[in-house]
Amino acid sequence: MPEFIEMKKIDKGRASTVGTVVKVEHLKKFFAVRKGIFSREVHFVHAVDDVSFEIKRGGVLALVGESGCGKTTTGKTLVRLYEPTGGKIEFLNKDISKLRTNADRMWFHRKSQIIFQDPYESLNPRMTIFDIVVEPMSVQGIGNIKEREEAVADILQRVGIAPPETFMWRYPHELSGGQRQRVAIARALILKPEFVVADEPTSMLDVSIRTQVMKLMLDLINEMDMSFLYITHDLSVARYMADHIAVLYLGKIVEMGEIEEVLQHPLHPYTQALISAVPVPDPEFQREMPKIKGGVSKPIDPPDRCRFYERCPYAMEVCKGTCPPLIDVGNDHKVACYLYNKNG
Ligand code: SF4
């Protein structure tokens, strides 16, 4: 497995990985659906189902998995764009699962932000770059006009939109895709948040500018000592950006740990399949492929068994019983699979 992904990795140099910024315990987010317009029967999509993890100060956790695995729902629930169905989210030791007062909401939204995938849709085309970037300051009532202009100029300069005074009064359609995503990053970072959810922020960009934007984010993470949840389906991006990884499958974390440990020693059949799907630029190279079956199904009222059961080449009788718990197999490496759970 070590041959995969030979992308040069930047020394992330994060020294202050002490203290937990985000702690998620048994988080659940279900959506009610009806199977037909006239049906009274209500079913539930278990988009996020009993997910737990922590992100340290200055740390980047990559959340990976195929489309439809619940990555974006997890991110949106963490920044409270969705109300959790169950579980607990602690942010800076404060329970933010229920933000009861307006002051709590303002405090949380000042310290947490989200960067969306699509730089073409996430910026309002009728607003100037200045108005877009300054919006979080205006909403929070921070600074006077002069201070806001200085803050916008400063953050635009830092994300490489320079000279800022040239770009501030332009509209998004006058910018390239890479510049728009830099503006989206500037808007997310203008309040110097302590936690950011980045939802596939480079997947819509040309390959040529993707690495520039990723490097920019890493530099800003180091400089501003922020914590990130970095959502991606691309393991090479995860390896470049993150120090820890959580692999999500149908709303459940199936494997988690320090990123090099997990990528070099993947244990769960799903993680192994994801790694085997990463292209290697060597026509001679032959890799052992786990023969997984079918595609990702919808997690509607899923039975209490391993979520990967239908696709798993190693499925056993015990896997039909209950969902395997996430257990520590050493080196802070956790896996949810009965192949490694002797008590299963
Ligand atoms: Fe496969 Fe069973 Fe492990 Fe699930 S618990 S991944 S079905 S071996």
Side-chain angles (χ1 to χ4, degrees):
M1 203 57 63
E3 293 88 348
F4 106 102
I5 314 170
E6 282 309 316
M7 182 187 271
K8 186 176 181 310
K9 205 174 172 191
I10 295 172
D11 175 15
K12 294 168 193 150
R14 284 189 287 278
S16 62
T17 47
V18 273
T20 300
V21 171
V22 175
K23 186 173 179 188
V24 174
E25 287 178 342
H26 309 292
L27 183 68
K28 293 183 181 180
K29 179 63 196 173
F30 298 169
F31 296 98
V33 289
R34 287 177 204 277
K35 285 188 177 170
I37 301 171
F38 303 109
S39 171
R40 289 175 169 233
E41 216 181 323
V42 178
H43 300 266
F44 289 93
V45 175
H46 292 218
V48 181
D49 196 353
D50 202 6
V51 159
S52 302
F53 58 80
E54 283 185 20
I55 306 177
K56 301 280 186 197
R57 180 168 299 283
V60 179
L61 174 70
L63 192 60
V64 304
E66 293 162 283
S67 297
C69 282
K71 306 187 295 294
T72 295
T73 306
T74 304
K76 286 185 172 175
T77 311
L78 280 197
V79 291
R80 298 303 316 277
L81 291 179
Y82 290 147
E83 188 75 15
T85 307
K88 188 174 174 189
I89 307 168
E90 267 185 28
F91 177 69
L92 300 174
N93 296 322
K94 190 168 178 174
D95 184 356
I96 53 116
S97 316
K98 305 254 181 289
L99 291 170
R100 290 197 169 82
T101 66
N102 205 30
D104 282 349
R105 277 188 283 276
M106 292 291 269
W107 171 81
F108 178 65
H109 292 303
R110 192 165 65 242
K111 290 182 176 288
S112 69
Q113 290 290 327
I114 185 166
I115 302 167
F116 292 103
Q117 179 176 21
D118 189 346
Y120 298 90
E121 288 199 351
S122 63
L123 306 181
N124 187 332
R126 293 191 190 84
M127 289 167 77
T128 63
I129 302 306
F130 174 82
D131 288 335
I132 289 168
V133 176
V134 84
E135 198 174 26
M137 289 186 86
S138 314
V139 169
Q140 295 278 345
I142 296 171
N144 56 33
I145 294 284
K146 189 165 177 293
E147 286 164 340
R148 290 179 189 178
E149 274 187 18
E150 283 170 2
V152 171
D154 178 55
I155 196 72
L156 286 178
Q157 184 81 39
R158 282 166 102 161
V159 300
I161 298 290
E165 50 285 1
T166 310
F167 285 91
M168 256 187 213
W169 310 112
R170 293 189 184 170
Y171 288 86
H173 72 268
E174 298 175 76
L175 272 52
S176 68
Q179 288 172 327
R180 286 182 213 200
Q181 198 55 303
R182 285 168 190 264
V183 169
I185 293 169
R187 179 179 58 187
L189 303 190
I190 194 165
L191 295 180
K192 299 188 174 60
E194 299 199 32
F195 173 56
V196 176
V197 171
D199 187 2
E200 308 234 25
T202 59
S203 63
M204 305 282 286
L205 303 179
D206 287 349
V207 177
S208 55
I209 48 174
R210 208 174 280 175
T211 315
Q212 286 175 24
V213 175
M214 288 196 297
K215 185 174 181 319
L216 164 72
M217 279 190 286
L218 267 187
D219 289 345
L220 292 168
I221 290 167
N222 289 332
E223 203 181 303
M224 299 167 84
D225 205 19
M226 290 176 291
S227 308
F228 259 58
L229 179 75
Y230 199 96
I231 295 170
T232 180
H233 64 276
D234 186 331
L235 288 178
S236 48
V237 169
R239 186 176 179 223
Y240 193 81
M241 292 299 301
D243 44 69
H244 283 73
I245 187 170
V247 181
L248 201 62
Y249 187 78
L250 287 186
K252 295 260 188 205
I253 290 179
V254 296
E255 191 158 6
M256 182 161 67
E258 194 275 321
I259 195 149
E260 294 300 329
E261 161 67 22
V262 171
L263 295 182
Q264 302 297 341
H265 308 288
L267 298 175
H268 197 280
Y270 180 60
T271 315
Q272 292 170 353
L274 285 181
I275 289 175
S276 73
V278 175
V280 175
D282 177 0
E284 303 291 315
F285 180 72
Q286 301 246 319
R287 183 187 279 139
E288 275 291 303
M289 296 267 228
K291 307 253 180 319
I292 68 167
K293 305 164 247 174
V296 186
S297 50
K298 285 217 159 39
I300 300 176
D301 299 336
D304 186 19
R305 67 178 183 207
C306 173
R307 293 280 164 88
F308 198 55
Y309 179 79
E310 285 173 348
R311 300 177 75 190
C312 183
Y314 312 112
M316 305 170 284
E317 199 54 33
V318 64
C319 312
K320 280 198 286 184
T322 54
C323 214
L326 202 58
I327 56 156
D328 197 327
V329 290
N331 291 335
D332 198 24
H333 186 162
K334 295 182 178 134
V335 64
C337 174
Y338 287 121
L339 289 171
Y340 309 96
N341 186 348
K342 303 288 180 258
N343 302 320

